[in-house]
């Protein structure tokens, strides 16, 4: 692979370092989740033991036919291919890595293609941030801003779907969309076809409406590639960069 121009090396290095931090964070999360699952399984096993004893003694503690322990249900292995309520989903590690690749990482406040002050991983600077163009933030603050923005995007997707079940990669693609364009731009007024497809449960129709390529009234090449990537995530669970093909 040819060496990138010198001007591109700092940005690529920032992305690699940031993604390294993200992987460490997800590793810690997976560790906590694994410990929680083990704890729940132990609790479920204990509950089953108690139930077996109770059944032998005809106790009121016995689990009745057709009932299941919430602990047993929560301990079940999560299958990302199964469509479920978006309230049970959050952005995957693969999606966040793709998002960081698309947005880049900037520690100095700059103006994006639409002219808005931006910093970190595509964070739109808000009045409460007390930041102005040219100011710098630290790595930890950039991570915190990304966490907050992801939470907003996830909540926005849950609101947008309004109960329509989705699988992990469909949810991820919609998180990228809301993160990129904002919840206001996917409202029924701004995106009537997308909302109509969601109401109809038309997943192919939803995929057709993931193409957002303009910023400040002008088509941006980067948004063309990002829209293509987003659609491939939604339809095929393919998180790869189409520009690398």
């Amino acid at each position: 692979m040819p060496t990138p121009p010198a001007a591109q090396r700092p940005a690529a290095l920032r992305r690699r370092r940031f993604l390294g931090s993200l992987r460490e964070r997800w590793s810690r999360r997976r560790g906590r989740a694994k410990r929680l699952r083990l704890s729940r399984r132990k609790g479920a096993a204990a509950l089953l033991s108690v139930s077996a004893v109770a059944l032998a003694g005809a106790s009121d503690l016995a689990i009745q036919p057709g009932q299941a322990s919430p602990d047993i249900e929560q301990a079940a292995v999560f299958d990302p291919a199964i469509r479920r309520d978006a309230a049970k989903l959050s952005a995957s590690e693969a999606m966040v890595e793709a998002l960081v690749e698309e947005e880049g990482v900037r520690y100095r406040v700059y103006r994006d293609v639409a002219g808005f002050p931006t910093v970190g991983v595509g964070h739109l600077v808000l009045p409460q941030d007390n930041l102005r163009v040219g100011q710098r933030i630290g790595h930890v603050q950039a991570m915190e801003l990304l966490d907050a923005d992801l939470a907003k995007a996830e909540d926005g997707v849950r609101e947008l779907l309004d109960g329509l079940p989705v699988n992990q990669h469909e949810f991820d693609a919609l998180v990228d969309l809301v993160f990129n364009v904002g919840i206001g731009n996917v409202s029924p007024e701004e995106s009537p076809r997308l909302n109509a497809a969601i109401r109809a449960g038309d997943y192919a129709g939803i995929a057709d409406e993931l193409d957002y390529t303009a910023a400040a009234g002008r088509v941006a090449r980067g948004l063309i590639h990002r829209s293509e990537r987003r659609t491939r995530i939604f339809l095929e669970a393919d998180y790869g960069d189409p520009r690398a093909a």
Side-chain angles (χ1 to χ4, degrees):
M1 181 180 295
T3 303
Q8 295 178 13
R9 290 175 195 158
L13 183 61
R14 283 196 301 271
R15 283 197 299 273
R16 285 197 298 272
R17 288 176 174 170
F18 201 88
L19 287 171
S21 295
L22 282 174
R23 292 186 186 103
E24 289 178 8
R25 182 181 65 176
W26 247 272
S27 179
R28 290 194 296 271
R29 282 185 178 179
R30 282 197 297 267
R32 288 195 297 270
K34 184 177 180 180
R35 289 192 294 273
L36 178 60
R37 286 196 299 273
L38 286 172
S39 175
R40 285 172 172 168
R41 284 174 184 148
K42 288 178 181 176
L47 185 64
L48 285 172
S49 298
V50 170
S51 300
V53 172
L55 280 169
S59 167
D60 290 338
L61 292 175
I63 297 179
Q64 299 300 318
Q67 292 181 335
S69 161
D71 289 324
I72 297 174
E73 182 180 354
Q74 290 172 354
V77 176
F78 171 70
D79 184 348
I82 296 176
R83 287 192 172 116
R84 62 193 70 228
D85 187 342
K88 300 180 180 180
L89 298 174
S90 58
S92 70
E93 179 180 0
M95 182 64 254
V96 179
E97 289 195 9
L99 190 149
V100 171
E101 287 177 353
E102 291 294 333
E103 294 282 358
V105 182
R106 303 276 288 274
Y107 296 107
R108 190 183 298 275
V109 182
Y110 65 99
R111 293 194 182 276
D112 66 8
V113 292
F116 297 112
T118 307
V119 74
V121 183
H123 172 73
L124 180 66
V125 174
L126 303 172
Q128 58 265 35
D129 294 327
N130 294 316
L131 293 169
R132 61 179 184 276
V133 173
Q135 284 188 304
R136 289 183 63 85
I137 65 171
H139 179 78
V140 172
Q141 187 175 359
M143 295 282 286
E144 291 171 348
L145 290 173
L146 175 59
D147 269 335
D149 289 344
L150 274 172
K152 288 180 183 177
E154 289 167 341
D155 286 343
V157 171
R158 295 176 188 119
E159 178 184 342
L160 176 67
L161 289 170
D162 193 25
L164 179 71
V166 289
N167 57 36
Q168 182 65 61
H169 60 85
E170 291 167 343
F171 181 83
D172 282 344
L174 289 167
V175 166
D176 180 72
L177 174 66
V178 174
F179 189 101
N180 189 203
V181 306
I183 188 63
N185 283 318
V186 295
S187 66
E189 296 76 22
E190 296 295 328
S191 298
R193 290 195 298 261
L194 173 63
N195 282 268
I198 290 171
R199 288 195 302 272
D202 179 2
Y203 294 92
I206 295 171
D208 289 340
E209 299 303 319
L210 299 179
D211 190 18
Y212 283 72
T213 58
R218 298 166 55 185
V219 173
R221 184 180 297 275
L223 294 181
I224 293 174
H225 293 300
R226 184 166 183 174
S227 291
E228 179 185 348
R229 187 175 194 172
R230 181 186 300 136
T231 302
R232 286 168 56 172
I233 290 170
F234 188 92
L235 291 174
E236 305 168 19
D238 180 358
Y239 292 80
D241 186 349
R243 286 158 288 203

